[in-house]
Amino acid sequence: MYPNWILQRAYLTPLRKALAYKNQSWTFQELNELSIKRARQLVGIGIQQGDRIAIMGPSKPELVMMMYACMHLQCEMVMLNRRLSPEELAYQLEDSEAVTVLIADEDIEKLPPETAHYLFSSIENGGEGELTIEKEWPLDQTTTIMYTSGTTGFPKGVRQTVGNHQASATASVLNIGLQPQDVWLCAVPLFHISGFSILVRSLLYGNQVYLYDQFDAEAISQNIIDGEVTHMSVVAVTLERILHTLEQRNMKASPHFKLMLAGGGPVPVDYLARAHSLNLAVAQTYGMTETSSQTATLASEDAMQKIGSAGKPLFFNQIKIADPNDKGEGEICIRGPHVTPGYIGRFAHKNATIDGWLHTGDIGCLDEDGYLYVIDRRADLIISGGENIYPAEIENVLLTHPAVKEAGVCGVDDEQWGQVPIAFLVLNEPVSVEQLQAFCLQKLAKYKMPKEIIFTDSLPRNGADKLLRRKLLQ
Amino acid sequence: MYPNWILQRAYLTPLRKALAYKNQSWTFQELNELSIKRARQLVGIGIQQGDRIAIMGPSKPELVMMMYACMHLQCEMVMLNRRLSPEELAYQLEDSEAVTVLIADEDIEKLPPETAHYLFSSIENGGEGELTIEKEWPLDQTTTIMYTSGTTGFPKGVRQTVGNHQASATASVLNIGLQPQDVWLCAVPLFHISGFSILVRSLLYGNQVYLYDQFDAEAISQNIIDGEVTHMSVVAVTLERILHTLEQRNMKASPHFKLMLAGGGPVPVDYLARAHSLNLAVAQTYGMTETSSQTATLASEDAMQKIGSAGKPLFFNQIKIADPNDKGEGEICIRGPHVTPGYIGRFAHKNATIDGWLHTGDIGCLDEDGYLYVIDRRADLIISGGENIYPAEIENVLLTHPAVKEAGVCGVDDEQWGQVPIAFLVLNEPVSVEQLQAFCLQKLAKYKMPKEIIFTDSLPRNGADKLLRRKLLQ
């Protein structure tokens, strides 16, 4: 049994600043009291301790409060990605069997029609129920459920337990260090593990989170110049925008700023060189929903001599390459207390690990010093602006259109987003690109929309008729 | 399963300095290679993976190497206190059933006669056996066994597992922070948890240990002035000697020096004030062998407004007061992943915890902000220079002398050591103080020797004839 993080942190350092957003801020004590009140209000609307509920909203303090309330209630939180289409959300709600959706007022239009839900405002204005808050949480309690796709294109609900999140946060601190005055800027979505893990670290470390509800290159660059923040999680595209802003303004990062943690795919080498000349340390990471954030990190001081590497595992983690070829390349496998125990819903029967090893599907190798290089992403994964896009998901949608006979999707390089998806189609009957785009827009998140749709006579397949996505571009 | 700390640290940061002693130093890679060689040499003399072995020597690099070799071999290390008498050591060797003693050449005279042993030199010069080092350790594997006394005076062998040590180190880092360039000065014995926990932290944190084989106030003060070290573990008596040295030399601590962790009993208030004016941050701690080092720590910034407090629990720990009286005072109980799973030998059957709570026997209370105050030590515990002395242990020895009919031991304040034991005796037949002292010297560690022996007609007892040690001084 481990302490309820929110209670324990409020007990240990009640008066430290926990959260800042625009001109407001909250101490750990205030966050705790507000979230307990919110938890009582959740009881008031009938939510019970341990319920599985879905939650959606922009990255604002109200969402943090609501998440902490759910954690006090030991609810399993299905973290809905507010960029998804109503159809995608409907799938997750059906698969997860969440009892209801707690939703920010401004996001109500995004919900599938007739979804059971409670608006944040109605909860915040509602009555309070009776509640005894547990002081301890078991390690195997599911804190969050995040959906991630895969080879089949059917998203899987990944469980992340108290133990997973704790192990991730403690392994991370052993790598990047900690000082009480550290402030972590969060401009990544709280529904992704990249954002939620910042909250977990804040509770465990006693550090402040400086929250943005959207990426604001000007304001964030100013924070970095002023040294108001010490850490930040970025993806390549947001890193570039910060570099660009600093360069334009001819300013450097404050010496108080310590580290950019760059996840969600590789960072181009020239970004690293530019960051270096702006006094901005960048640590590249490799991680995924199944590993509750980072599993490997490249120390900033190694960035230039190990270009392209994702670094070494964090202290409690292990990485191995399964069935390596003669160049040492094989499937990246991960083991450690941060690895998910498994899935929910239709994939609940699927083992997440084999003998404790998570087989990522990604292809990589370890160099002679043990540094990890990720060579090829699982299932032809497309990473666009830090979001994972699985070709099969888009293909599945396209194939439901009556005019489409065959569909193949792959990523192409894009200066702004890193990669974007494009689709190759074999048709049954004539249809316009615009018609297909309108069709997709109903069913897919915008960032998953194929940037280009190309009609062709046939798709490249192997002898077993398996689509060869890598050959689509040829 | 968690990584073998030594292998993992050598993999992650091979070239960082791990250990310094006098003019020598070793990187983590070097420590790993040397300790693997030493592990093979242990196999060469017949030690097997998982054996329970006893180990004794001064705090020198050879001892660190030997301990790490034992850890590679997953041996259970019975940590012998080299200040104990041969009789005391014989008890621990018999109780623990250690297969052999690994002993530093210079300590051989301390061993009871005819004890099976191997000298460090003979191991270091011996041949190597075959060994496959396990890359992972189970959390419940016993790393160390340390003997501690109690109410009965019979020392109990306390198990400290991989999980205990890990939880202690990670909880500590969440409290005091971490930077890669931190250097921890170790001048406390490695056979005590205060010293061994510095090694564990070094492996988990990747920090350097600056090792002393004895307390050298001049040299240590110079390290603190120069900022060559950032952290140090002290007891009140060693803290005072450093304060005195700095004051004499009219020097202050370097701004690079971060924290003194003060354990082994309370620190007098005027030491804190003196430390403050020397720029020396002091964090008072409360912990014990059963909690694998600190369980509560008073932040340096709270030291003056919470005078006498041992602070708040570390993040993963909980403290409660059992059966408090109307002033809120009761037995201090501790819970968390750092608490021992239990004992070995004749106390193996004894439960260490009740419903997960370790009942310390110490009396204390929590103030309205949740700060712990230790009011009275368990079993009339005497703390002398940071060493625990249990009156019953000394009484048991005195009672084996034919002239002694009744014995009562208690602590008196001592300017140098904090406390020292004195003995009150009722005699059967005449005997001199000198004769009794010579008798005790054979059976007791020097620091346990009664500073004074007083003959009396009767000892204070309650109705049930139980000795009232606190009334001895009256």
Side-chain angles (χ1 to χ4, degrees):
Chain A
M1 299 295 280
Y2 279 73
N4 171 329
W5 304 328
I6 307 163
L7 282 185
Q8 182 79 341
R9 179 47 65 195
Y11 165 31
L12 296 183
T13 56
L15 304 180
R16 274 200 210 161
K17 222 190 241 193
L19 181 67
Y21 173 75
K22 295 187 172 166
N23 296 321
Q24 289 178 279
S25 72
W26 294 263
T27 65
F28 284 104
Q29 187 165 46
E30 289 166 342
L31 273 195
N32 182 48
E33 284 165 4
L34 283 165
S35 61
I36 288 176
K37 180 186 164 108
R38 207 66 80 234
R40 295 218 168 92
Q41 289 168 319
L42 289 174
V43 173
I45 59 169
I47 306 284
Q48 298 188 341
Q49 214 130 3
D51 274 351
R52 182 176 296 165
I53 54 92
I55 189 162
M56 184 158 98
S59 293
K60 293 183 179 177
E62 296 69 39
L63 180 65
V64 176
M65 249 51 108
M66 204 59 79
M67 286 178 171
Y68 287 5
C70 291
M71 287 157 70
H72 274 312
L73 273 169
Q74 297 174 286
C75 287
E76 299 185 352
M77 293 185 280
V78 179
M79 311 288 262
L80 297 179
N81 177 341
R82 57 197 293 269
R83 302 176 68 185
L84 296 186
S85 71
E87 287 213 12
E88 290 168 318
L89 292 173
Y91 167 90
Q92 296 185 10
L93 292 172
E94 176 267 319
D95 184 67
S96 66
E97 302 180 79
V99 296
T100 191
V101 182
L102 311 181
I103 188 159
D105 297 39
E106 65 198 273
D107 278 355
I108 183 65
E109 296 298 324
K110 299 179 198 283
L111 261 198
E114 292 172 47
T115 303
H117 69 270
Y118 291 95
L119 291 175
F120 282 4
S121 62
S122 73
I123 300 164
E124 289 159 5
N125 297 318
E128 298 180 28
E130 286 276 324
L131 170 64
T132 309
I133 289 178
E134 290 294 332
K135 286 189 171 178
E136 294 187 332
W137 295 339
L139 275 187
D140 62 356
Q141 175 184 305
T142 297
T143 306
T144 42
I145 293 162
M146 297 186 189
Y147 275 83
T148 177
S149 289
T151 44
T152 63
F154 288 103
K156 302 192 289 281
V158 177
R159 291 173 52 203
Q160 297 157 331
T161 63
V162 168
N164 292 154
H165 287 297
Q166 259 185 207
S168 173
T170 51
S172 181
V173 81
L174 296 179
N175 183 47
I176 65 174
L178 172 67
Q179 289 186 289
Q181 62 272 32
D182 289 345
V183 179
W184 207 296
L185 193 153
C186 177
V188 285
L190 292 176
F191 55 76
H192 274 332
I193 188 60
S194 56
F196 187 75
S197 65
I198 294 174
L199 296 182
V200 175
R201 287 195 289 266
S202 164
L203 291 170
L204 267 68
Y205 303 175
N207 287 128
Q208 189 192 150
V209 175
Y210 200 110
L211 188 65
Y212 277 86
D213 59 33
Q214 50 193 343
F215 182 78
D216 178 340
E218 280 299 327
I220 291 170
S221 299
Q222 193 61 48
N223 295 148
I224 291 169
I225 291 165
D226 293 343
E228 285 176 289
V229 298
T230 57
H231 294 77
M232 178 179 180
S233 302
V234 290
V235 295
V237 60
T238 50
L239 174 59
E240 202 286 330
R241 288 177 62 191
I242 291 167
L243 297 176
H244 180 75
T245 308
L246 292 174
E247 286 160 350
Q248 289 279 311
R249 297 179 53 185
N250 201 18
M251 298 290 281
K252 293 191 176 191
S254 157
H256 292 294
F257 187 84
K258 292 185 190 166
L259 193 67
M260 290 274 187
L261 214 52
V267 176
V269 179
D270 81 298
Y271 292 9
L272 298 176
R274 287 164 63 196
H276 187 254
S277 62
L278 294 166
N279 291 345
L280 212 50
V282 178
Q284 293 183 83
T285 70
Y286 170 67
M288 60 204 71
T289 303
E290 286 88 341
T291 63
S292 296
S293 181
Q294 318 159 62
T295 195
T297 299
L298 182 66
S300 182
E301 67 254 39
D302 293 337
M304 298 314 289
Q305 63 263 41
K306 293 288 182 183
I307 282 171
S309 169
K312 290 178 180 176
L314 299 188
F315 194 86
F316 297 128
N317 312 350
Q318 292 180 71
I319 294 178
K320 74 172 182 187
I321 304 299
D323 305 322
N325 64 14
D326 50 10
K327 287 192 282 179
E329 300 165 355
E331 187 176 15
I332 300 170
C333 297
I334 297 168
R335 182 175 164 94
H338 64 319
V339 171
T340 179
Y343 306 97
I344 64 161
R346 70 192 63 192
F347 293 98
H349 64 281
K350 192 177 183 294
N351 287 327
T353 55
I354 303 168
D355 290 336
W357 289 94
L358 175 76
H359 289 246
T360 62
D362 291 337
I363 303 300
C365 63
L366 295 167
D367 75 4
E368 68 281 8
D369 298 321
Y371 285 79
L372 175 69
Y373 288 77
V374 181
I375 296 165
D376 217 344
R377 289 290 179 150
R378 59 195 169 277
D380 305 316
L381 176 64
I382 301 162
I383 305 184
S384 185
E387 292 277 1
N388 288 352
I389 304 174
Y390 289 85
E393 263 188 289
I394 304 175
E395 291 162 4
N396 288 348
V397 165
L398 287 164
L399 285 169
T400 62
H401 191 285
V404 176
K405 188 177 166 200
E406 294 177 36
V409 169
C410 67
V412 290
D413 290 344
D414 180 89
E415 205 171 319
Q416 187 178 7
W417 302 109
Q419 284 187 297
V420 290
I422 62 170
F424 294 84
L425 302 179
V426 180
L427 298 182
N428 285 317
E429 54 188 73
V431 67
S432 73
V433 167
E434 291 69 30
Q435 283 175 307
L436 288 168
Q437 280 171 336
F439 178 78
C440 287
L441 209 48
Q442 288 170 6
K443 295 166 183 277
L444 283 175
K446 276 203 188 105
Y447 66 87
K448 298 180 187 170
M449 289 286 294
K451 201 108 191 220
E452 220 178 316
I453 294 178
I454 295 153
F455 301 130
T456 177
D457 287 341
S458 68
L459 299 179
R461 293 185 183 275
N462 70 8
D465 236 23
K466 188 177 180 307
L467 180 65
L468 298 172
R469 292 198 187 93
R470 261 158 255 192
K471 296 207 168 167
L472 283 169
L473 283 176
Q474 298 160 15
Chain B
M1 300 294 281
Y2 279 73
N4 171 330
W5 304 329
I6 307 162
L7 280 185
Q8 182 78 340
R9 179 47 63 195
Y11 164 33
L12 296 183
T13 55
L15 304 181
R16 275 201 211 159
K17 222 191 240 193
L19 181 67
Y21 174 75
K22 296 188 172 169
N23 296 321
Q24 288 178 280
S25 71
W26 293 262
T27 64
F28 284 104
Q29 188 166 46
E30 288 166 341
L31 274 194
N32 183 48
E33 285 166 5
L34 283 166
S35 61
I36 288 177
K37 180 187 165 106
R38 207 67 80 234
R40 294 218 169 94
Q41 289 168 320
L42 289 174
V43 173
I45 60 169
I47 306 286
Q48 297 187 343
Q49 212 129 3
D51 274 350
R52 183 177 294 166
I53 54 90
I55 189 163
M56 186 158 98
S59 292
K60 293 183 180 178
E62 295 70 40
L63 180 65
V64 176
M65 245 56 102
M66 203 61 79
M67 286 176 171
Y68 287 6
C70 291
M71 288 158 71
H72 273 312
L73 273 169
Q74 296 173 284
C75 286
E76 299 184 354
M77 293 184 282
V78 179
M79 311 289 262
L80 298 178
N81 177 341
R82 56 197 294 270
R83 302 176 67 185
L84 297 186
S85 71
E87 287 212 14
E88 290 168 318
L89 292 173
Y91 168 89
Q92 296 186 9
L93 292 172
E94 175 267 319
D95 184 68
S96 66
E97 302 181 82
V99 296
T100 190
V101 182
L102 311 181
I103 189 161
D105 296 40
E106 64 199 274
D107 277 356
I108 184 64
E109 296 299 324
K110 300 178 197 283
L111 263 198
E114 291 173 48
T115 303
H117 69 271
Y118 291 95
L119 291 174
F120 283 4
S121 63
S122 71
I123 299 163
E124 290 159 4
N125 297 319
E128 298 180 27
E130 285 277 322
L131 170 64
T132 309
I133 290 177
E134 289 295 332
K135 285 188 171 178
E136 293 186 334
W137 295 339
L139 275 186
D140 62 358
Q141 174 183 307
T142 297
T143 305
T144 41
I145 293 161
M146 296 186 190
Y147 274 83
T148 178
S149 288
T151 44
T152 62
F154 288 103
K156 302 192 288 283
V158 177
R159 290 172 53 201
Q160 298 158 331
T161 64
V162 167
N164 292 153
H165 287 298
Q166 261 185 205
S168 173
T170 52
S172 180
V173 81
L174 296 179
N175 184 47
I176 64 172
L178 172 66
Q179 288 186 289
Q181 61 273 30
D182 288 345
V183 178
W184 207 296
L185 193 154
C186 177
V188 284
L190 293 177
F191 55 76
H192 273 335
I193 188 59
S194 56
F196 188 75
S197 65
I198 294 174
L199 295 182
V200 175
R201 287 196 288 267
S202 164
L203 291 171
L204 267 68
Y205 303 175
N207 286 129
Q208 190 192 149
V209 175
Y210 200 111
L211 188 66
Y212 277 86
D213 59 34
Q214 51 194 341
F215 182 77
D216 178 339
E218 281 297 329
I220 291 170
S221 299
Q222 192 62 48
N223 296 148
I224 290 169
I225 292 165
D226 294 343
E228 287 175 289
V229 299
T230 57
H231 293 76
M232 179 180 178
S233 302
V234 290
V235 295
V237 59
T238 50
L239 174 60
E240 202 286 329
R241 288 178 61 192
I242 291 167
L243 297 175
H244 180 76
T245 307
L246 292 174
E247 287 160 348
Q248 289 280 311
R249 298 180 51 184
N250 201 20
M251 300 291 280
K252 293 192 175 191
S254 157
H256 293 294
F257 187 84
K258 293 185 191 166
L259 194 66
M260 291 274 186
L261 214 53
V267 176
V269 179
D270 80 297
Y271 292 9
L272 297 176
R274 288 164 63 196
H276 188 254
S277 62
L278 294 166
N279 290 346
L280 211 50
V282 178
Q284 293 183 84
T285 70
Y286 171 65
M288 59 204 70
T289 304
E290 286 88 341
T291 63
S292 298
S293 181
Q294 317 160 65
T295 195
T297 299
L298 181 67
S300 180
E301 67 255 36
D302 293 338
M304 297 315 288
Q305 64 261 41
K306 293 288 183 183
I307 283 171
S309 169
K312 290 180 179 173
L314 299 189
F315 193 87
F316 297 128
N317 312 349
Q318 291 178 74
I319 294 179
K320 73 170 182 189
I321 304 298
D323 306 322
N325 65 15
D326 51 9
K327 287 192 281 179
E329 300 165 354
E331 185 175 15
I332 301 170
C333 298
I334 297 167
R335 181 175 165 92
H338 63 318
V339 172
T340 179
Y343 305 97
I344 63 161
R346 70 192 64 191
F347 292 98
H349 65 280
K350 190 178 185 296
N351 287 327
T353 56
I354 302 167
D355 291 335
W357 290 95
L358 175 76
H359 289 247
T360 63
D362 291 338
I363 303 301
C365 64
L366 294 167
D367 75 6
E368 67 282 8
D369 298 320
Y371 286 79
L372 175 69
Y373 290 76
V374 182
I375 296 164
D376 218 345
R377 288 293 179 148
R378 57 193 169 279
D380 306 314
L381 176 63
I382 301 163
I383 305 183
S384 185
E387 292 276 1
N388 288 353
I389 304 174
Y390 289 85
E393 264 187 290
I394 304 175
E395 291 161 4
N396 289 349
V397 166
L398 288 164
L399 287 168
T400 60
H401 191 284
V404 176
K405 188 176 166 204
E406 294 178 38
V409 169
C410 67
V412 290
D413 290 344
D414 181 89
E415 205 172 320
Q416 187 178 8
W417 301 109
Q419 285 187 297
V420 291
I422 61 170
F424 293 84
L425 302 179
V426 180
L427 297 183
N428 285 318
E429 54 188 72
V431 64
S432 73
V433 168
E434 291 69 29
Q435 282 174 307
L436 287 167
Q437 281 172 334
F439 179 78
C440 286
L441 208 50
Q442 287 170 7
K443 294 167 184 280
L444 283 175
K446 275 203 189 105
Y447 65 88
K448 298 180 188 171
M449 289 287 293
K451 201 112 193 213
E452 220 178 315
I453 294 178
I454 296 155
F455 301 129
T456 177
D457 287 340
S458 68
L459 298 179
R461 294 185 182 274
N462 70 7
D465 237 24
K466 188 178 179 308
L467 180 65
L468 298 173
R469 292 199 187 94
R470 260 156 257 194
K471 296 206 170 168
L472 283 170
L473 283 176
Q474 298 161 16

